[in-house]
Every structure is written in structure tokens, then in C-alpha cells.
């Protein structure tokens, strides 16, 4: 465990797809790569025919770098594709198997999900929500989060789902940026047997949130809540009065489907804009091919709907394929450490898609937990969110996949909308630790600073060199930031992903992680600048430098270096308070693991904190060239403090 990704050139371990898997695989002809490469537009145009359109597109691709239109002129609806389009063949098939943390199970057929979604779409309409209005959804993993998303899509109101564990303050920032005037939330939800008071967080957050008009509250945990008159309404009361039919709005291919906030390199999160046609084509096809979806699969993606993985590979991709999905509300160790395996056994899960941080946690808990359960229904496993180390990959393969399930290590991002680099399980020979090859039709490369391709085995930056259907269209309200962040490192045709990578002699990609000021904590993206700005907002803090420190389980954890204002004393109590201050203001998943007080930080002569140096200190590796620092001595002092803090 905790092994570093093995040097690709010395990496001999290979897993070929099993013969019987290949025979039955949705995609098993390697010629698909060549076909897509020779004519990407023709390739995507043909695949677009696999989803439902009210009107066909005029052009497959209009590319005016870095602006793109896919399937322009086409008319469709994402909710229609996930629901109505499945009714004829799969109306009575189970769409959602939901399990609450306390053991309750609720199931919806496609027909029932369509009726509930339509009902809620009518509720939204009756409250005055119109095409183009952004609706904020702040719900945990309960079926209503999917219903709310699909209802928004049904009437053409883009949704912005905010991860339920974010603080009320973080919610408010996102509501304000999106100019939402409706938020959908719940009373509370279960986490390790305790109720999290979600509604209370909303109330706290909304104190500073002007334009918001209404809050719809799902009654879930039945904890006590305060309902503010005229503003707050109960979901179940509204639903009682609503009709179960609502026609899907006819949307343009390039109409916004949703906004997804994600951390960037400044304190302010970016609202990533995804549109309808290209996103639906990209997620529909990639889900079908990469997870090799079959009619009788029971598919469980453990990601939360508050992140892009939940959007693309729990909701839109699988449901548009008519798949039965599993959703689980709670923690993997409640009531016992075999909860995931109990769910797999009970619901006969065939495909499991989870994150390396979860896999490493299961490794730490030991094989006795999965051994207690029957995992024989599993036939394919997936990994996402951060690099998976070969040790964790092999453990997953042997102990969960029983040595027989192919593993798809899928590289992608909030911005890419769909999986970009991944095995196709019926074609690709996998190598533990490598996401393998770009999806057909995607052109990825490893480039140096200047934009030249680096030789195999050399470190460089991951780039995407041609447009793809589900790519980010802009940053909501900040076009310049969109261009600066993704399309300015080389030229405006080459997408800068922000990850470091290598390619090996077989053309396989080995992603090493972020090269910018973003930390990937347990597969959750957190901006160092975001944590710093929260810290300096505390009355005791003068300056803060925040970096990611490598961690055996979580991939990375948050380390903070803090300079206090004069008059404040460095002590344990204040340290704890500052750590809680961050957790409270962003969310518990952003709780710093370490906070170190210092009189100074490594800065350039112009006063900019050099996080690169700080990161090297936290990780106890060579700090490289420090001659440009204002005061190079600060490095030795900080190293000493870091050593002390660790003991
Ligand atoms: C960042 C994107 C994509 C959904 C979850 C995270 C890292 C993601 C892998 C992988 C190595 C990976 C990258 C990327 N990442 N998947 N298979 N191998 N790294 O979405 O929050 O937008 O984060 O996650 O660093 O840039 P996100």
C-alpha cells in the first residue's frame, strides 16, 4: 500500500481481457479507434443517432477555437432521453434502487420515475420557474435529487447541484453566482447513524443571500426544522397537488443543461457550463461502451450527485441507456465495514464504479469484510477521481473483482463532462496504474511547456488536442477565466487539463495528478486559494499558505501554514479553532489535516507565496531552486517546524 506509481517503462504487469468477456462486449473491435480517428465528425455524428432527437442537427461540429457547437440546430431534451425514451421497452423495469443508511429500500420503475419527475416539473412551473432559470439543488443521496435534476431538465431550467456536505456559506456563494431564486433541499439526512440538519445549514447560509425567493424542502429524516413563512414549502405538499404529466421542453442542442461548480486556482469556484446535445451524446455512449452496459446489469456508481461523476455516470449516462442504478445514502462503514459489500450482495450489483480513496480505505479495513459477502454477481469494476496506485488496483482486482472482473481506470474532469481516457473492457489490455488510452474520437497528448510532444517516459502536461461533444462551453459569467484557464497555455485549440502525465512506449497514459494549485482530497477537488481565503477571513490570521500533502488513503490531504496577526498567540486551541473554521466554512470534507504556525512563508521578491516550495516542504522532498525567494532562510525554519509538527 502507498506504493508510488511504478515507472511505466519498468511496468510489466498486464491484464488481457478474458475471452468470454470479449465475445459478449458491446465494443470488441479495435478498429473502432482508427475509424474514429480518421473521421471524428462522422464518428460522433453517427453515434448521436443513438439518442432521441425531436429534430436532427444541421451540423455535427462548429469549431471556432476555443468555442464549440455540437449538433447545432438539433432539438432534444435530456429528461426525455432518460425517461420517455425508455418507456416503451423498459417502462416496468427498475430505474432506481435506493437504499437509505438505516436500511430502508425504495425502488422506482422507469414509468414511476417519469411520473414523479413530471409531477415535480409541474411544481417548478407552478412556482414560476422558466426555461433558462437556474435552480439550485442541495440534496443528499436520496431519489429526490435525481427527480429534481430530471425535472429541471424537463422544463429547460439548468440545475446547479451543490454537494450536500458543503456549508451554508458555500451554498450561498453558489446561489449568488448562479442568480438562482429557488433552492431544493431536505430537512436532514443520515450520516453514520446521526442526522445532519441540512435545512439548518440552508437557513444559516441564506441569511447572506439576497435574491433567493423560495426553498422547497423534502421531508426525509423527519428532524425538526423551522419553516419560514412564504419562503419555505414542503415538497410532499406541493407534489400532492401536481399532475403526473408534463411534456418535455424542446431544447436546442447548445442550451445549458446544468452548471457544476468546481474549485479552481482562485478563491472563487467556477461554474462549469455544460450544454444538452453534446453532453448527452458523450455520456450516453461512453457509459454504454466503457461500462459495457447490458439490459440486466445492476449498476452502482458510488459518487454523489453533488459532483460531476454523479451527473454523468449515475444519472444522465446510465438512465439514458435504460439501466437499473443503485443509489446509497450513507457511509461505507455504517453500521459495519462491510456495508458496500452487503449492498452488492443484496441488490446483486454487476458493475461497481468507485474512487481509489475508497478502495484504499477498504484495503486498510482488511479482506475479512468483503469475504463475508457474496460478490459473485460483479462483472466489471471502475475507478475515478485520482490516480490509482498499482497496489490498490491489484487489491481491488483480487478481493472485489475476484480476479475475473476487468477494471476501467477512467480519467476525466468536471470540465470534460465525459470520460476521456479509459480502457474499453472488451479491447484494452490493462496495466495497473494506467488509465490506458483515449476514448475513440479523443486526441490526447503529453506536452512540454512550449507545447511540443515529449518522448515516451518523460513527464509533461496532459492536453486534449481536438474538440469533444461534452466539453465545457464556458465558465458561467466569466468568459475570460474560461479562456485563461483552459485555452491559453499553448494555443486556443489545445485544452490544458491541469494534470501531469507520461506516456509509455505502448501509448498508454499515466496520470500523476494536478500540476496547478488544486488539491484532490479523497477524489474531491479543493482549491488551495479557497482554503487560504477562508483562513485569512479569520480575525487571527494575517497570511496563509495551503498545499496538498500526499496521503496513503486520501491521495492528498490539506496542510496549512499560517502567519498570525500581532497580538494573537500560537497555541493548540487556536490551531484547532482555525481547522474547524475551514471545515465549517467549506464543509467537513475540506478539514485540514495539519496547521502549522510560522512567522514567515516562502515568498517571491514581489511577495507572492510560492506554494511549490511550501508543498515540497510539507512532503519532505527537495525544494528545488529557492534562490528567487525573498528570504531563502525561511525554508530551513519551515522544514524544522514541519518535522516537529509531525512528531
Ligand atoms: C481531476 C478532476 C472526473 C470525476 C471526478 C473528479 C483527477 C480524475 C482520474 C484518474 C488520475 C484522475 C485529475 C483531474 N482524476 N480521474 N482516473 N486518474 N487522476 O472530477 O473534481 O473535476 O477532478 O481528478 O487530477 O484533473 P474533478
Amino acid at each position: 500500500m502507498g506504493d508510488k506509481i511504478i515507472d511505466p517503462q519498468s511496468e510489466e504487469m498486464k491484464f488481457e481481457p478474458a475471452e468470454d468477456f470479449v465475445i459478449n462486449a458491446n465494443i470488441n473491435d479495435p478498429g473502432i479507434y482508427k475509424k474514429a480517428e480518421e473521421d471524428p465528425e462522422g464518428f460522433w455524428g453517427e453515434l448521436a443517432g443513438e439518442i432521441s432527437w425531436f429534430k436532427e442537427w444541421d451540423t455535427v461540429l462548429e469549431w471556432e477555437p476555443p468555442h464549440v457547437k455540437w449538433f447545432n440546430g438539433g432539438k432534444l431534451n435530456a429528461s426525455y432521453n432518460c425517461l420517455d425514451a425508455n418507456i416503451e421497452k423498459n417502462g416496468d423495469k427498475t430505474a432506481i434502487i435506493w437504499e437509505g443508511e438505516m436500511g430502508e429500500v425504495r425502488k422506482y420503475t422507469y414509468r414511476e420515475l417519469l411520473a414523479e419527475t413530471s409531477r415535480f416539473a409541474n411544481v417548478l412551473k407552478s412556482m414560476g420557474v422558466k426555461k433558462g432559470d437556474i435552480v439550485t439543488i442541495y440534496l443528499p443521496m436520496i431519489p429526490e435529487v435525481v427527480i429534481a435534476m430530471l425535472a429541471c431538465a424537463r422544463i429547460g431550467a439548468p440545475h446547479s447541484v451543490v454537494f450536500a456536505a458543503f456549508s451554508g456559506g458555500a451554498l450561498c456563494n453558489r446561489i449568488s453566482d448562479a442568480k438562482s431564486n429557488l433552492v431544493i433541499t431536505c430537512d436532514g439526512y443520515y450520516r453514520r447513524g446521526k442526522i445532519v440538519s441540512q435545512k439548518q445549514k440552508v437557513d444559516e447560509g441564506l441569511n447572506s443571500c439576497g435574491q433567493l425567493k423560495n426553498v422547497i424542502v423534502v421531508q426525509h429524516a423527519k428532524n425538526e426544522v423551522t419553516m419560514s413563512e412564504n419562503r419555505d414549502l414542503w415538497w410532499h405538499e406541493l407534489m400532492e397537488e401536481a399532475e403526473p404529466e408534463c411534456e418535455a421542453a424542446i431544447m436546442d442542442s447548445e442550451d445549458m443543461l446544468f452548471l457544476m461548480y468546481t474549485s479552481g486556482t482562485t478563491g472563487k469556484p467556477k461554474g462549469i457550463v455544460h450544454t444538452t446535445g453534446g453532453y448527452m451524446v458523450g455520456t450516453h455512449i461512453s457509459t454504454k461502451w466503457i461500462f459495457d452496459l447490458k439490459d440486466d446489469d445492476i449498476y452502482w456508481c458510488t459518487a454523489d450527485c453533488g459532483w460531476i461523476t454523479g451527473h454523468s455516470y449515475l444519472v444522465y449516462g446510465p438512465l439514458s441507456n435504460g439501466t437499473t442504478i443503485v443509489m446509497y445514502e450513507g457511509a461505507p462503514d455504517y453500521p459495519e465495514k462491510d456495508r458496500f459489500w452487503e449492498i452488492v450482495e443484496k441488490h446483486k450489483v454487476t458493475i461497481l464504479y468507485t474512487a481509489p480513496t475508497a478502495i484504499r480505505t477498504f484495503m486498510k479495513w482488511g479482506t475479512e469484510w468483503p469475504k463475508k459477502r457474496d460478490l459473485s454477481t460483479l462483472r466489471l469494476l471502475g475507478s475515478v477521481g485520482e490516480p490509482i496506485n498499482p497496489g490498490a488496483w491489484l487489491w481491488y482486482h483480487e478481493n472485489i473483482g475476484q480476479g475475473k472482473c476487468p477494471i476501467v481506470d477512467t480519467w476525466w474532469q468536471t470540465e470534460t463532462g465525459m470520460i476521456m481516457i479509459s480502457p474499453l473492457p472488451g479491447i484494452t489490455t490493462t496495466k495497473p496504474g494506467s488509465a490506458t488510452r483515449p476514448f475513440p474520437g479523443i486526441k490526447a497528448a503529453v506536452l512540454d511547456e512550449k507545447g511540443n510532444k515529449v518522448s515516451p517516459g518523460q513527464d509533461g502536461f496532459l492536453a486534449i488536442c481536438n474538440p469533444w461533444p461534452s466539453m465545457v462551453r464556458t465558465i458561467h459569467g466569466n468568459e475570460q477565466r474560461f479562456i485563461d484557464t483552459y485555452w491559453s497555455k499553448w494555443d486556443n485549440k489545445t485544452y490544458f487539463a491541469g494534470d501531469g502525465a507520461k506516456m509509455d512506449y505502448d501509448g498508454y497514459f499515466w496520470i500523476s495528478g494536478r500540476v496547478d494549485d488544486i488539491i484532490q482530497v479523497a477524489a474531491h477537488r479543493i482549491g488551495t486559494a479557497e482554503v487560504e481565503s477562508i483562513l485569512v477571513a479569520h480575525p487571527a490570521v494575517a497570511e496563509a499558505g495551503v498545499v496538498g500533502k500526499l496521503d496513503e488513503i486520501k491521495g492528498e490531504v490539506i496542510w496549512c501554514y499560517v502567519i498570525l496577526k500581532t497580538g494573537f498567540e500560537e497555541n493548540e486551541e487556536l490551531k484547532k479553532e482555525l481547522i474547524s473554521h475551514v471545515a465549517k466554512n467549506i464543509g467537513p470534507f475540506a478539514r485540514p489535516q495539519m496547521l502549522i504556525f510560522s512567522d514567515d512563508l516562502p515568498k517571491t521578491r514581489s511577495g507572492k507565496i510560492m506554494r511549490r516550495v511550501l508543498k515540497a516542504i510539507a512532503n519532505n522532498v527537495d525544494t528545488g531552486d529557492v534562490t528567487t525567494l525573498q528570504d531563502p532562510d525561511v525554508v530551513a525554519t519551515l522544514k524544522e517546524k514541519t518535522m516537529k509538527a509531525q512528531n
Side-chain angles (χ1 to χ4, degrees), residues 82 86 90 93-96 110 287-288 293-300 314 317-326 350-351:
C82 292
N86 289 315
N90 285 324
K93 180 176 174 176
T94 305
I96 302 180
Y110 271 92
T287 314
K288 183 169 166 186
L293 291 182
K294 297 287 174 356
D295 275 348
D296 53 359
D297 272 317
I298 309 285
Y299 168 98
W300 184 20
L314 183 64
L319 294 182
S320 69
N321 277 286
T323 308
T324 300
I325 64 166
V326 173
T350 59
I351 301 171

Side-chain angles (χ1 to χ4, degrees), residues 517-521 524-528 546-548 556-558:
D517 292 322
I518 289 175
I519 324 182
Q520 208 68 16
V521 184
H524 293 166
R525 192 201 282 206
I526 295 164
T528 48
V546 171
V547 292
E556 279 187 294
V557 289
I558 301 175

Side-chain angles (χ1 to χ4, degrees), residues 473-516:
R473 297 300 195 266
T474 188
I475 291 174
H476 186 61
N478 203 339
E479 175 63 20
Q480 196 54 46
R481 192 172 176 196
F482 167 71
I483 294 169
D484 294 347
T485 311
Y486 308 113
W487 305 102
S488 300
K489 185 157 181 85
W490 301 293
D491 55 47
N492 67 358
K493 292 192 283 297
T494 312
Y495 174 84
F496 173 61
D499 276 326
K502 279 186 205 191
M503 196 196 273
D504 68 14
Y505 286 96
D506 294 328
Y508 278 39
F509 285 79
W510 298 74
I511 318 287
S512 56
R514 303 291 312 190
V515 291
D516 52 10

Side-chain angles (χ1 to χ4, degrees), residues 309 384-387 409-414 499 514 520 525:
T309 311
V384 62
E386 47 175 320
D409 172 6
T410 60
W411 179 88
W412 60 296
Q413 309 177 301
T414 303
D499 276 326
R514 303 291 312 190
Q520 208 68 16
R525 192 201 282 206

Side-chain angles (χ1 to χ4, degrees), residues 350-361:
T350 59
I351 301 171
L352 175 71
Y353 189 31
T354 194
T357 183
I359 298 163
R360 290 189 294 260
T361 306

